[in-house]
Amino acid sequence: MTTSYPSVLTIAGSDSGGCAGIQADIKSISANGAFAASVITATTAQNTQGVFDIHPIPVTHIRKQLIAVLEDIDFGAIKIGMLHSADVIELVQKTLREYPIKKIVLDPVMVATSGDRLLNKAALGNLKSFLSDAYLITPNIPEAEILIDKKIDAQKLGEAAKEIGNTFKTSVLLKGGHLEDSEQMTDTLFLYDTQKSISIYNKRVQTKNTHGTGCTLSSAIAAQLSLGLPLEEAVKKACSYLNKSITQGKDKTLGKGNGPVQHFPK
């Protein structure tokens, strides 16, 4: 008897330092029990201290990567990370619509750790139009504030997640990591189909080793979905995995800057 690998396709940029991007995605997907395939949208000259250069992959080659894997492999979920230009966003959206995969986890990467916006106005418009194609989007607070054009505090997490979900017609995991006034990490999951909101709590870990946490979490969710878990259970399991990964990597050293999580916690 043969069985199929539960498989996830990650579409994102490459991080030469290995902490984030495609590299973090593959580690996270593997750690959560699924097989990872990848489509690379850009390469970076990057380490724990910063990003020093970005080399966009031509859109014609991105499409060829997409078709090569989608024509051959059955994916239980797709994870999408940073799509750096309006053309790339449009291409990925158009190509994925040619295939029947419904469980798309989209991490709407729009703001750098420095606070700088990563997408211009045209790209942001295309990204917003793409959000309704997703099964789940995973914005952090600065990204969520851009999506609804208002400030969000701890008391407004549930309200904001619901507004984003109903505006873009998708489920939302609003990540609360930027709220630093609590010893507790609170993420809010809004399920669009049922209009249900769930608060997910984990202990906040004090560490500088958080490079790639957004990539790691969204990939873990996609992996759990590919294993057949319902969305609420997949998100809760992925959040628990990430918290464990941060905890076990908090005192480790890699490079001179912000290190990664421990992608394979014991």
Side-chain angles (χ1 to χ4, degrees):
M1 180 183 291
T2 61
T3 58
S4 299
Y5 287 104
S7 301
V8 175
L9 172 61
T10 169
I11 305 168
S14 168
D15 170 8
S16 54
C19 298
I22 287 283
Q23 286 79 355
D25 294 344
I26 291 173
K27 293 168 191 172
S28 178
I29 292 164
S30 301
N32 281 271
F35 180 87
S38 64
V39 167
I40 298 175
T41 58
T43 61
T44 65
Q46 183 177 172
N47 57 27
T48 63
Q49 299 179 82
V51 180
F52 304 99
D53 192 36
I54 298 174
H55 177 69
I57 302 297
V59 291
T60 53
H61 184 63
I62 294 173
R63 178 166 169 82
K64 287 179 180 178
Q65 290 182 73
L66 285 164
I67 291 172
V69 291
L70 290 167
E71 289 288 335
D72 184 50
I73 300 171
D74 292 326
F75 293 105
I78 293 178
K79 176 265 165 86
I80 299 176
M82 182 180 173
L83 304 176
H84 54 275
S85 72
D87 288 345
V88 171
I89 296 168
E90 183 178 1
L91 169 80
V92 171
Q93 181 182 26
K94 179 181 177 182
T95 304
L96 291 184
R97 283 180 171 179
E98 298 171 14
Y99 296 87
I101 301 165
K102 300 301 181 185
K103 293 184 179 178
I104 297 174
V105 179
L106 195 156
D107 186 12
V109 182
M110 296 181 281
V111 184
T113 303
S114 63
D116 295 328
R117 289 202 187 189
L118 298 171
L119 296 180
N120 61 29
K121 192 171 183 179
L124 178 58
N126 280 18
L127 181 64
K128 286 182 174 181
S129 73
F130 194 4
L131 297 184
S132 60
D133 286 22
Y135 186 60
L136 175 75
I137 62 173
T138 61
N140 59 30
I141 287 175
E143 291 158 351
E145 289 176 340
I146 292 172
L147 290 176
I148 56 175
D149 195 26
K150 38 176 93 163
K151 298 296 290 182
I152 300 170
D153 58 30
Q155 285 70 46
K156 294 180 180 177
L157 283 178
E159 179 184 318
K162 183 175 182 178
E163 181 174 350
I164 293 167
N166 285 328
T167 298
F168 297 103
K169 297 179 174 57
T170 185
S171 294
V172 179
L173 177 64
L174 179 52
K175 299 175 291 189
H178 285 76
L179 298 174
E180 298 180 354
D181 57 350
S182 172
E183 294 184 1
Q184 184 171 255
M185 178 80 73
T186 303
D187 300 314
T188 299
L189 173 63
F190 172 72
L191 300 173
Y192 178 68
D193 288 344
T194 62
Q195 297 287 297
K196 178 182 177 183
S197 292
I198 303 110
S199 294
I200 301 169
Y201 302 104
N202 283 287
K203 182 177 174 59
R204 185 179 293 277
V205 181
Q206 298 302 324
T207 179
K208 70 174 184 176
N209 295 334
T210 56
H211 189 180
T213 49
C215 309
T216 300
L217 178 59
S218 53
S219 295
I221 296 169
Q224 294 297 334
L225 290 171
S226 79
L227 293 169
L229 269 64
L231 181 56
E232 181 178 344
E233 188 178 345
V235 170
K236 287 179 176 177
K237 197 161 186 176
C239 287
S240 178
Y241 158 76
L242 178 61
N243 188 258
K244 190 174 182 180
S245 297
I246 295 172
T247 300
Q248 293 192 16
K250 69 183 180 68
D251 297 321
K252 293 184 178 293
T253 299
L254 181 79
K256 301 171 184 175
N258 296 314
V261 304
Q262 166 56 282
H263 283 101
F264 297 92
K266 296 178 181 178

